[in-house]
Amino acid sequence: MWKIGILYLLLINLAGFLSMGIDKRKAQKQKWRIPEKVLFLFAILGGSTGSLLGMYTFRHKTKHRQFVIGIPVILVLQLLLAGFLIYRNMTAVNHYTGIGMGTVVTADVYGRDSKQAVEELPALITELNDHVLSWREPESSISYLNQQLQEEKDCRLYPEEQVWLTEAWKLCEDSGGALDITLRPVLDLWGIEGEHPAIPDGKVLQETLEKTGYTKLHISEDGNLTADQAGMTLDLGALGKGITCDKIAERLETMKISGAVVSIGGSILTYGKKPDGSAWNIGIQDPRGEQGTAVGYLKVMDNTVVSTSGDYEKYFMENGVRYHHIMDPVTGYPADSGLVSVTVLCSSGIDSDGLSTACFVLGREKSVELLEKYGAEAVFITTDKKIYLTDGVTDEFQLVNPEYSIVSE
Ligand code: ADP
Ligand code: MG
């Protein structure tokens, strides 16, 4: 749209400019002259700059005061109007709320093209989920890889798949296996995401654990995936939302969007700047509060992904014990590291999401080194309602729920 606008302005100003030249020549030959009303019309239609330039270039003189005063006045008015429109365009905000990746998606996008960005968002998320990342979707690339792995066939990875799987594998390794992208059979056994979750039989659980272990997967540098045994399953559930945040950031970058905040369930992307330059204020879910209530707020600048993993997302209760969806790959039981939630901030979405799950399994103390390695910051909330912050976010966090207390070390 704005390209058409610029083309129009160029043409109308060129017309204004040329009319001045033609008018001058005709005046010299004492012939018919373009009535000044026509030139006014050019000016009103946005061609005043061209007309003025023409007057100057062709030394066009006119005795009409209206003309001499009128055109500059029109120009000033037009400049004011253009300034106002540009300001409105730069500060425009468009919102989106919908469902994607099995969770609530919201977005606030600022600036020029923000409407288009918001319109594109649902399709981008659905495409990534259904055709690429989700093990649930039969048509996805991950499902295809899982079919191949069932039969112990070598798999050729797409370049992007190779990048993600290599990074995911590295996160598994760096977390000492707290994150494990092959844990799907154990999760299925518990059925926590299904209708009838239940504590599995110990022997069956041990047998199922045999089918897991990221170290049995190998990704070669030229993009081949191989497994040491048949029947392995890939599950990027712990990193998918972060990967999607990265893809959205890429898209916002190509669209030259000035600022946006996009939330996909537990992963929130802050991109660029707000029109007034202030920090993004991101609510951290109260782990024991209703969905949407914040325990506190984090001030976040520029491009960051803020991912939270908590025991409140999907769980069932039995005999007063909470069995949730983040598993300790060693025991095959829900992780029990003294945390109810952990929020990780990192410039990379895949790392932020992967680390939040890994740190939830590791617990606070063992997470510190891992977070440092990835240049990430974190907010830990413990079962006894204490909040621990890493150095980079101590000044950025504002607690709003007085039942919790911040522990400074
Ligand atoms: P959510 O996706 O619910 O926001 P997470 O990013 O922490 O939260 O991912 C949790 C999901 O990751 C689980 O639903 C499960 O599919 C998978 N998962 C659970 N435990 C692990 C683990 N130790 N390693 C890798 N994936 C896990
Ligand atoms: Mg995660």
Side-chain angles (χ1 to χ4, degrees), residues 347-365:
S347 57
S348 145
I350 184 171
D351 292 348
S352 155
D353 199 1
L355 287 172
S356 75
T357 311
C359 291
F360 191 93
V361 175
L362 286 173
R364 185 177 65 87
E365 269 133 16

Side-chain angles (χ1 to χ4, degrees), residues 264-306:
I264 309 172
S267 285
I268 302 167
L269 163 74
T270 61
Y271 177 85
K273 296 221 177 328
K274 269 198 221 170
D276 64 3
S278 63
W280 304 102
N281 215 13
I282 303 297
I284 307 282
Q285 172 65 40
D286 179 345
R288 294 292 177 262
E290 264 181 48
Q291 195 180 352
T293 43
V295 61
Y297 290 87
L298 259 179
K299 282 202 178 359
V300 182
M301 291 301 278
D302 304 329
N303 300 0
T304 307
V305 177
V306 183

Side-chain angles (χ1 to χ4, degrees), residues 178-180 183-184 187 193 235 237-238 241 266 308-309 313-314 325-327 329 353 357 361:
L179 182 77
D180 194 323
L183 219 52
R184 180 51 33 200
L187 288 150
E193 290 127 325
D235 175 8
K241 291 169 191 142
T308 301
S309 289
E313 284 282 347
K314 295 169 202 146
H325 73 315
I326 302 175
M327 298 290 158
D353 199 1
T357 311
V361 175

Side-chain angles (χ1 to χ4, degrees), residues 120-167:
E120 281 186 13
L121 194 66
L124 180 70
I125 294 174
T126 308
E127 163 68 23
L128 263 175
N129 185 68
D130 296 3
H131 295 289
V132 188
L133 297 173
S134 175
W135 59 269
R136 284 190 186 86
E137 299 296 332
E139 299 293 316
S140 75
S141 327
I142 287 290
S143 289
Y144 173 75
L145 291 179
N146 282 340
Q147 279 163 27
Q148 302 289 98
L149 288 171
Q150 286 310 309
E151 298 159 29
E152 213 185 342
K153 284 185 188 151
D154 289 4
C155 314
R156 188 99 198 106
L157 301 173
Y158 290 117
E160 213 166 30
E161 240 173 18
Q162 186 188 349
V163 171
W164 291 331
L165 285 174
T166 307
E167 186 64 17

